[in-house]
Amino acid sequence: RSCTCLFFLESLCWTALWLAPIATFAFVRICAGQEEANPSKLNQGNLYTALAVHHAVTFLGVFFLLLAPAKKADRLFQLTAVPLRLRVIRYLFWFCVMVIKFLLGLTISAAVWNASANMEFINIGREAPEEILGLWRNSNWSANMYTWLILWLTAWWLFISDTAMWFQAGCMFLGVGIVFVQRSCFCCQFILEDALQKIPKRMSKFVFPYTKMLRGEEISEYFPALWDRVVAYMRYEDKCESDGLGSLSFHRGRGAGLTWEKLSLKTHPLQATHGRDYTMPDFFEHLTLPEVTWRNYCGWPKSLANEDLKWRLYALARGLGLPMPRPFRAPYIPGITVMIPHYGETIILSKSELYDIGANDQSRRSHVQLGGLCKVPVREMVPLIDWLRNRYQDEYRAFVNRMQARGMHIGGVAWDDLQEHQWDKICVWASMRMQTLWRTVEGFCSAYSRALELLVEVQEPGLTKKQCHELVRGKFQVVLAMQRYAQFSDPSKVKDGHRHLAAAEAMLAAFGPWMKIAFIEDEDGENGKRYFASVIDADCPIEQRPGKLPSRRPRYRVELPGFPILGHGKSDNQNCAVIYTRGEVLQMIDCNQEAYFEASLFLPLALQEFSSVRNGRRPGILGFREHIFSDIGLLGRLAADSEYSFGTIIQRTMDWPLQARLHYGHPDMMDKLQVLQQGGVSKATKGLNLSEDVFAGLDLTLRGGWTTYKEYFHVGKGRDMGFMSVLSFFSKVSMGNGEQVITRQWLRLGLTLPLPKFLGIFYTHCGFFLNQCLVNWAIKAFAFMMAIYTVLAPMDLGIGDAAAGLAGSYFGFFYFLFMIVTVLPLLWQVFIEQGVCASLNTILSAMLALSPVFSAFQSKLMGYYFWSTMHYGGAQYIATGRGLATSREGFARLFRYFAATHMHDGMELVLYLFISSTTNYGWAIHAALVFTVIAWLFAPFVFNPRQFEKPSQACQDLRQWLNWMWSTEGGEDDAWLAYSLRLQEVRRNASHAVERLPSGRLLALIVTTGIMVVCGAFYDLLIVERVTLLMPPLAHFLFCVLLSICEGLFGDPDCSVCSYPLLSLTAVALTLLELGMNSWWEATARMVLFHKYICLRYMLEVADGVAARESGGPCLSWLHTACRRWALSWRFLRDLLLGWVLAVICILAAMIPGLSGVHDIFLFRARLNKGRYTRPLREAEGQASRTDSSDSDRSNDSDSDEDLSESGDALVATGSNGFGEASDPLLVFVRRFARGSRQTWKERVPSARKLARGLGPRSRSR
């Protein structure tokens, strides 16, 4: 009873707090009336007192409601305490953001106030109660009141839409300031220092704090050997050639050169350097102050040809300038497990994927003479290996030289003439430059393990090589959560399972000591299917199951309580594999990432971050920076720039002082004990947890945990590189955030977190996507405002000039300000890291690449999917794919994907612009709206590869689209009818809470109807005439109702989509006939037509809802059919007109000479068409072959290379893919499957049995 009473009293207090401002405002109005009736000092004093009380109550109420949590019962755990200094900084940050926001709001409010004052009418609330009824009878006052409301509603919408923009601007300035705070505010030192020259001292200080320094220098005695190891590793990655190693390496003895024997990673243990028996590399030479300034801020290049190598060394230098903890010593390093989920992504590229020449393609081949060197075959499409060779010219040259030194001639040989063992090397080289699982596994297994072994050798010099290896093996492992490994051995379930199975075996052979494969398997039991979480390693024996390919027997199996895939697969796969991880730290990695050896040396320092404690708890999630290596092509660069600014300057501010950074899946490290207590590394409810990774951060925050972010450690990451794949990714993220809004985690965050922290989390997650909705709705609201003012101009209401001045002065300025703020973080971050020239070049390149067009299109897409998911649900996982997007998407497919999201709204904006074209609203808002129309309508075609290749192809697209429009059978991909029905049926799952909110079309209908009712221009009409003008066009709807009733009475005739052209023509004819029966006047004609259009648009929404929900059941089936038919007939007409216009524009563009080549260069900086493959690498190969002899002379000791292969280091040292010249029967078996033999699986099983019988005891134990 006491709890019930307390709850009741608490509810009364909250109700009183909400109603107090209303009561005080009523008291103010009473005092104002008394003061007007009897002016006196007493009444005036009462009025001032009432105003003061009202303002105080309102301010205190808002302050308390914002700062006090609503329900303390929702706080399940005590939140992490925040120091007072940090809380002050947070409040100050949001105070500055809100002040700027309100200053702009006051400016816009003043403009609206002045515009309404120019209308010369009494504002609402300024009249006496007895005068209200009289004013409502005044038609001019009523019309002005409606326009006044439109002005204020539009300004209010603008006010609530710009919060995220100012938040991003605040994060940008704060992120720039944090850069200097991290360096102890030594601004001049940071600006003018030579970070590259300080690498030896800083790396000795942070990485080798337990070793002795060289006499007279601040360099560790182990640093020269360590740096030589770093350079050698980069040489093995083909980032530099042997000729360039001298300027990067310490020479053992003055004038001594590096040989292949000295580049070995295994044959020579790391030795300390005693005394001055080395030469400082030219790379670390001291530069003068003008040289440093010119290089840092004017783009003076260092002597590094490879851009990736240059970035990695500069990133190493930048990271060493940041605060770092003292690293763990070797025996006490905590255990870490890297988890990599895999479903069906590419593991390793095959010859057929790199260079597949079919019989049909042979007939289309031609030859072109290049510089008198040789004839290069040219096909209609460039093979992937040719493109990679052209893209990575210096790395391919280094690869050719390295293979030449090993006796394998690849340079100067045509692709068709290469042998299988040569293609094995090339496949691995190409896979290491694409987004493949091999690149990820190789990076983490090799870089992490070798970096830890190196540090153990330095800190524990008494240990042998084997002991160092065993110590590291106990501290580090990679768990590959390969969900479908068991299905790869079943040809009936996975088409190319043998390739994945062979690639998995190759990875186990190459990285066996460090890698395990966890997977989910099932078997038939007595009571149905039984499911197991299993794990295999390189020592598990191969077994043959009936009807399946040979696979390894699991080492451990844990039976699961039932079918484990509850969500979209990835989260369940990770949670099932967690049980096979060891150590107290998990690092979550996607299979499109890679690790760098020089950054892996900071791994003990990163693990030391988990030793920091706040309120007795160490961090639950530790985030790091990502280097986007997939900046290939136009879209790849745009995606890389977006990820670059978010992953640096924005996340830096999210970490401190906002503490709003959560978990984004990769490459975060997680405290295993904490994440297991909250249910796993991710949530697995289908739909609701589409963005499964972020819930680990949400739950950790609600449980009182905290996260942190460090920039000195980084990994590589690949992003989507095609238009469709990039937008599919953002669609998935937007739908995931739409589902997050309705979760209990976000409810509890809003009820329990302090206001500054909650605002930071909100505007970096769901609030960001909600802001995309608001901005795009604001654009449509501006266009509607312009149209309504234009159609009201002939009525002489005196509002056109005021509205035009307001729209031209402020609303257009807002859109361009939004675009500028979006670009500024990238500009500042590039300026800090690469200088003025690089930042200006980045912005100029982004403008030339039409980055604003793509950003506007992407913003509309994110807003659409976020709001549609909140409104209708239906979030689903979208497999984006991360390959090179060079294939051309057809017009019908682009139209089907983006008509509902962009093109329909773009068409409506065109209509609004056409209506408002007779009024001058200023260049700013017209330019903003025209730019938006171009982005929404034409971006899919501008960023579509080979869109304007041939006019005949564009005509073929038109024919395919017309077939799709007229088709009567098939799914969404085959018929317009199925596509439109799907858009209708989505409304069946509409949220009732969202349905209660007035839609924009309803608000527009209310505005036009109100103006039609109160405007004096319609007062002279008869009531019947006024009703007919107010009513929507219903003739065609009545026709559809009559048709549906007749079908119900006399049977359902064959109704197909071919009837919709006739219904569309009928709709136009009946509507024109209905409009012709109305009375028309010149002053009101445009307003009546505009009102009819708004009525029609709103009725379409209502008809879609009635047809989808089928309220009333079978009794009203005739109404459901009529609504569906009426709505689809109008939508068919709209899509037909829109598609024709866009298709004709594409055909005309394809007819422009040279546009196809310009478009190819615009997207890829290369030509994709026949006969236009420029810059082949024959010349580069010729140079490489001419330098082969120098490498051969340099590698006199050929035994060293053999030692590398025999010691298990062949992958790193020689680029072998594990299929090399080994005599192990298992590798022979793997090689046979990996090469895609034409044998069927039934033919392979007997050969695998023979192979298994031929395995010796040693091989079986393996």
Side-chain angles (χ1 to χ4, degrees), residues 1007-1149:
V1007 169
T1008 57
T1009 304
I1011 293 177
M1012 293 277 291
V1013 170
V1014 302
C1015 187
F1018 299 97
Y1019 276 14
D1020 297 334
L1021 301 180
L1022 299 176
I1023 296 179
V1024 177
E1025 293 177 337
R1026 296 180 65 183
V1027 170
T1028 55
L1029 292 179
L1030 284 174
M1031 288 179 59
L1034 296 175
H1036 178 56
F1037 178 75
L1038 296 177
F1039 173 77
C1040 291
V1041 171
L1042 181 62
L1043 184 61
S1044 300
I1045 293 176
C1046 292
E1047 289 179 1
L1049 294 177
F1050 303 106
D1052 188 9
D1054 184 18
C1055 180
S1056 65
V1057 75
C1058 294
S1059 62
Y1060 282 104
L1062 298 178
L1063 285 175
S1064 300
L1065 295 177
T1066 305
V1068 174
L1070 292 177
T1071 303
L1072 292 177
L1073 179 63
E1074 183 181 1
L1075 294 177
M1077 298 172 62
N1078 295 332
S1079 301
W1080 296 92
W1081 287 268
E1082 183 179 357
T1084 60
R1086 287 196 291 179
M1087 182 63 210
V1088 171
L1089 287 175
F1090 189 72
H1091 171 69
K1092 295 285 186 181
Y1093 169 75
I1094 297 298
C1095 290
L1096 181 64
R1097 292 293 293 135
Y1098 179 70
M1099 285 185 62
L1100 284 173
E1101 282 195 355
V1102 175
D1104 287 336
V1106 172
R1109 294 185 182 89
E1110 298 182 349
S1111 303
C1115 298
L1116 297 178
S1117 60
W1118 57 272
L1119 178 62
H1120 307 151
T1121 305
C1123 289
R1124 180 176 292 108
R1125 183 165 293 162
W1126 178 78
L1128 293 184
S1129 60
W1130 283 109
R1131 297 192 187 281
F1132 181 86
L1133 179 63
R1134 176 197 60 188
D1135 290 348
L1136 187 65
L1137 293 176
L1138 177 62
W1140 263 106
V1141 171
L1142 295 178
V1144 169
I1145 292 176
C1146 290
I1147 293 174
L1148 294 177

Side-chain angles (χ1 to χ4, degrees), residues 365-378 412 414 1176 1178:
R365 296 183 61 179
S366 59
H367 292 78
V368 60
Q369 191 76 19
L370 292 175
L373 293 177
C374 58
K375 290 185 177 181
V376 179
V378 179
R1178 278 303 163 182

Side-chain angles (χ1 to χ4, degrees), residues 53-283:
V53 172
H54 172 66
H55 290 149
V57 170
T58 303
F59 177 77
L60 291 177
V62 171
F63 184 79
F64 184 77
L65 289 171
L66 289 177
L67 300 184
K71 295 181 181 179
K72 293 184 178 180
D74 288 316
R75 183 179 295 176
L76 303 179
F77 297 88
Q78 186 66 31
L79 299 179
T80 303
V82 180
L84 178 62
R85 178 173 62 91
L86 188 57
R87 279 185 285 175
V88 171
I89 294 176
R90 288 183 190 174
Y91 279 103
L92 185 61
F93 170 81
W94 280 108
F95 176 77
C96 295
V97 170
M98 293 301 173
V99 164
I100 298 174
K101 174 184 173 63
F102 276 93
L103 286 177
L104 181 63
L106 289 175
T107 305
I108 297 177
S109 299
V112 175
W113 186 273
N114 295 331
S116 60
N118 294 333
M119 299 178 189
E120 298 180 354
F121 77 103
I122 303 176
N123 291 334
I124 300 174
R126 292 299 185 90
E127 67 281 352
E130 60 273 8
E131 297 177 355
I132 295 179
L133 294 178
L135 289 174
W136 275 101
R137 296 190 184 97
N138 188 333
S139 61
N140 290 332
W141 183 89
S142 301
N144 285 331
M145 186 270 296
Y146 269 99
T147 56
W148 179 84
L149 285 176
I150 294 173
L151 284 176
W152 278 106
L153 286 175
T154 310
W156 174 79
W157 200 266
L158 176 65
F159 178 75
I160 66 174
S161 301
D162 65 347
T163 308
M165 178 182 67
W166 297 118
F167 168 73
Q168 187 172 2
C171 289
M172 177 192 64
F173 288 108
L174 193 58
V176 174
I178 292 173
V179 172
F180 299 99
V181 173
Q182 290 174 341
R183 293 160 176 83
S184 303
C185 297
F186 295 140
C187 300
C188 295
Q189 178 182 348
F190 170 69
I191 294 173
L192 301 177
E193 72 174 358
D194 184 7
L196 295 175
Q197 191 267 337
K198 294 185 178 182
I199 287 179
K201 296 182 180 180
R202 290 177 174 176
M203 205 163 187
S204 300
K205 175 183 176 181
F206 292 115
V207 180
F208 302 124
Y210 307 108
T211 61
K212 296 180 181 180
M213 298 296 170
L214 292 175
R215 183 177 303 176
E217 299 186 24
E218 300 179 4
I219 301 177
S220 171
E221 60 181 358
Y222 285 95
F223 178 78
L226 175 139
W227 187 256
D228 286 347
R229 185 71 61 86
V230 171
V231 174
Y233 200 94
M234 291 183 176
R235 173 64 185 98
Y236 294 144
E237 293 178 333
D238 298 321
K239 301 301 179 184
C240 59
E241 294 194 60
S242 301
D243 294 339
L245 295 181
S247 61
L248 296 176
S249 304
F250 286 87
H251 303 303
R252 300 302 178 86
R254 194 175 300 271
L258 289 175
T259 64
W260 280 99
E261 183 178 2
K262 291 183 179 181
L263 292 178
S264 172
L265 294 180
K266 289 291 187 179
T267 56
H268 291 278
L270 191 62
Q271 301 290 338
T273 301
H274 301 284
R276 183 77 180 190
D277 58 345
Y278 65 91
T279 300
M280 186 70 69
D282 298 338
F283 184 75

Side-chain angles (χ1 to χ4, degrees), residues 913-926:
L913 282 173
F914 176 76
I915 294 173
S916 60
S917 59
T918 57
T919 304
N920 182 18
Y921 289 98
W923 68 271
I925 190 168
H926 278 292

Side-chain angles (χ1 to χ4, degrees), residues 929-948:
L929 292 178
V930 170
F931 170 79
T932 304
V933 167
I934 293 175
W936 290 1
L937 290 180
F938 299 104
F941 311 107
V942 172
F943 296 104
N944 185 29
R946 303 167 63 200
Q947 173 64 43
F948 311 109

